[in-house]
Amino acid sequence: MNKRTLDAVNNQIQAEFQSAYIYLSMSAIFEDMKMSGAANWMRIQWQEETAHAMKLFDHLIRRGQAPDLQSITAPDVTFESALDAFEQVLEHERHVTRLIHSLYEVAVEEKDYALQTLLHWYIDEQVEEEENAEAIIDSLRLAGSSGQGLFMVDRELGLRTPEAEGEE
Ligand code: OFO
């Protein structure tokens, strides 16, 4: 793996851990709002993002490269409502999708076929990440300001369980 590709993968590992940290922060805020279902959803998202980082980390190890971990900054997260939070999730995932596509472009330009194959998984995963956020936003819009509606959505989010290994 050449230096340009290695640097790009290390940057993506940082972005995935940064995502994990943002979602853990959102989980803490939802706990504080007594929305335990949304807090659960965010906590599982934190686990998933950590798994995304580790899949790239392990790819480097398998290819005889030492991952170079970068700083993670304190998440600067605030939101007015659950809808606001999940709109921020969608925006963030769109940003991560752009990062994954840029990384893929590096892998193509540098003819790194193994990395390209690995990134197919991430490209599919980003479609799912955006789709999930959009579905929750739709539910929250339907619930509007109805306490009962929000209670139902929160209960639904509380049913999310960690995905099996490899399905993150
Ligand atoms: Fe790793 O997919 Fe979200 O950020």
Side-chain angles (χ1 to χ4, degrees):
M1 187 178 279
N2 66 23
K3 181 164 184 333
R4 181 183 178 219
T5 316
L6 181 59
D7 287 350
V9 174
N10 278 319
N11 288 342
Q12 190 62 37
I13 291 173
Q14 190 278 345
E16 300 292 347
F17 278 126
Q18 190 69 54
S19 295
Y21 223 35
I22 289 169
Y23 294 133
L24 190 58
S25 173
M26 286 186 165
S27 181
I29 296 171
F30 275 123
E31 293 286 6
D32 201 44
M33 290 165 70
K34 308 296 174 205
M35 288 190 69
S36 61
N40 168 69
W41 193 97
M42 291 293 176
R43 182 182 283 246
I44 289 172
Q45 195 62 24
W46 160 68
Q47 288 176 353
E48 288 208 3
E49 298 300 351
T50 303
H52 295 173
M54 292 310 296
K55 202 185 273 277
L56 288 166
F57 181 98
D58 287 337
H59 182 75
L60 291 186
I61 302 281
R62 291 178 71 197
R63 301 208 30 209
Q65 308 284 338
D68 185 15
L69 295 181
Q70 300 165 17
S71 307
I72 299 170
T73 58
D76 184 19
V77 174
T78 53
F79 49 85
E80 304 281 315
S81 62
L83 178 59
D84 182 18
F86 279 94
E87 283 173 341
Q88 290 185 37
V89 169
L90 179 57
E91 269 320 297
H92 182 71
E93 288 306 323
R94 285 177 174 156
H95 163 69
V96 174
T97 298
R98 289 193 290 273
L99 294 180
I100 292 289
H101 291 177
S102 300
L103 179 57
Y104 189 78
E105 279 163 23
V106 172
V108 169
E109 284 165 19
E110 300 298 333
K111 296 187 169 40
D112 191 321
Y113 301 110
L115 181 59
Q116 286 174 41
T117 301
L118 178 75
L119 290 176
H120 289 159
W121 182 89
Y122 284 84
I123 291 167
D124 289 344
E125 177 69 8
Q126 282 311 121
V127 173
E128 196 180 306
E129 295 273 73
E130 290 186 28
E131 194 181 12
N132 289 343
E134 280 165 358
I136 296 166
I137 288 169
D138 287 346
S139 300
L140 287 166
R141 287 206 176 119
L142 274 176
S145 55
S146 143
Q148 196 182 1
L150 285 173
F151 176 80
M152 300 284 277
V153 176
D154 191 57
R155 199 166 61 176
E156 192 70 25
L157 295 173
L159 298 177
R160 186 181 189 192
T161 52
E163 290 183 17
E165 183 94 19
E167 292 176 18
E168 302 86 14

